[in-house]
Amino acid sequence: MRLLTQRLYLLIKEVLSVPGISAIVFFSVLCSALVVGVFDIAGENVNRYIVGRFAGSVPPNTIKVSPPPRREMPFLQVETERRGIGEAAAARIVAMKGVASVEPVLPVEAPMQGGVDFFGFGYRIDLTALGVPASLVKDALKDGADRRRWNRAETGGLIPVVVPKSALQAYNEGMAGPNGLPRISERTAKGVSFRLFIGRSSLRSLNDQVEAAAVITGFTDRPGLLALLIPITIARDYNRRFRSGYRTEYLHLYVTVKDHRSLIRVRRAIAGMGLSAETGVELSENILRLQRSVSLSVAAMKTLIIILSAVAVAFSTVIATISRVEYYRIVRIVGGSKLFIGFTVLVKYGLIGAAGSLCAAALLERASETAAAYLSLPGLTQGIGVSEDLAAFLFRYGVLLPVLSAVPSLARLYTRGLGGD
């Protein structure tokens, strides 16, 4: 018990010794932890701004997947086989890491006409149709009734149709004027009913033709193709009806990814499948390059601060150790081991570093509250604060910096100051 009391006394005496050097170590840790924390918070918020505000709002985050290019001859482009994206390929893409959703575009593989009665006259026109999910034309299905009608559509019932805005513009500019027909706006056209004749066109007629009622539910710019858009379930049913041995092959897949990093990885994987993947990948690469530049700059500044602080603390510990060599020799004479002396020195600087890092975290928290109250920078000020991870990092940093910086001074003490005792 007496020995334990003596060792505790020597430990406390070591902690309280050389207050000037201890103050230098304390403020070195405090200032360096404070600066490292500021750089960490600033870098984290800039990266969050890039990801949440900039990268998230800058297109594209969608990849347009198409079948492989057709084989071409010098003067002809020959289709040697059916070209499409099969369900197996679509399933592979859905399972890729970083893919948020996949929206397929399915062509109706049957001739088709549309018919409408207008001012007592019946008009028919050849049409092409594509089956798409509701998510691809959600801008045209603006209310719940339209979405429910789209999702619940069945063959034999009323078919909801979304019309490309480009088709409406083509009618108004190229057909209405020359033929003396009135122009049509989106507002007046929505809700207009017409007839669809599936299995018949001006060029070809099939047996077992189908006549169905359709209604225009809206207009869209997606997917940028000049064709009527109908529910994909209806398109699949008509394909099975008019094509024997039909197997699903999509015209396009619109693959939405989670972020720009995933965009690059998923695009490369799709290209590796032999499919065409169209997107503005260069923009994503520039955004990722910007994120890497910010991270590297912050890491470089933090490393520089840590090195300078470690050098300052190391010099301080060497000076403190040299000035107390005679004291350590007396401790050795009364029975203290080199291991015990080293332990007391490391505990001293560990406690000083812990106190400095805790003060730095408190100052950072207070400063972040002030900055958030007086600054108005959307996307930057909202994330200012000392997170649990940052607080833990600062504590570990504050303890380890002086402890590791004291190792050279202890090595000098063991080899020279106490080397001959």
Side-chain angles (χ1 to χ4, degrees), residues 158-219:
L158 184 65
I159 300 177
V161 172
V162 169
V163 180
K165 293 182 179 180
S166 55
L168 180 62
Q169 183 179 5
Y171 165 81
N172 285 331
E173 302 298 333
M175 185 175 180
N179 292 282
L181 299 174
R183 293 176 177 269
I184 300 176
S185 66
E186 294 183 18
R187 182 177 180 181
T188 57
K190 183 178 180 180
V192 172
S193 299
F194 62 99
R195 290 169 293 160
L196 283 177
F197 302 94
I198 301 95
R200 179 171 60 186
S201 70
S202 60
L203 300 175
R204 186 186 181 193
S205 294
L206 303 178
N207 296 327
D208 197 19
Q209 300 172 15
V210 176
E211 180 177 343
V215 61
I216 297 176
T217 58
F219 294 82

Side-chain angles (χ1 to χ4, degrees), residues 224-246:
L225 299 173
L226 197 62
L228 293 183
L229 305 177
I230 64 175
I232 192 170
T233 53
I234 302 295
R236 188 175 283 110
D237 288 345
Y238 284 139
N239 287 342
R240 289 170 178 166
R241 178 181 184 126
F242 289 100
R243 192 179 185 95
S244 59
Y246 170 77

Side-chain angles (χ1 to χ4, degrees), residues 282-303:
E282 296 81 6
L283 181 60
S284 295
E285 290 176 344
N286 290 334
I287 291 174
L288 293 177
R289 191 176 298 114
L290 176 61
Q291 288 181 260
R292 286 193 296 268
S293 298
V294 171
S295 299
L296 288 175
S297 299
V298 171
M301 295 302 298
K302 289 167 63 175
T303 303

Side-chain angles (χ1 to χ4, degrees), residues 5 75 114 144 151 157 207 228 260 263 280 302 314 321 330 398 410 413:
T5 304
F75 303 102
N151 292 324
N207 296 327
L228 293 183
H260 288 263
L263 182 90
K302 289 167 63 175
T321 303
I330 295 173
L410 288 178
L413 176 66

Side-chain angles (χ1 to χ4, degrees), residues 26-37:
F26 172 81
F27 283 108
S28 296
V29 173
L30 172 64
C31 294
S32 62
L34 195 61
V35 175
V36 168

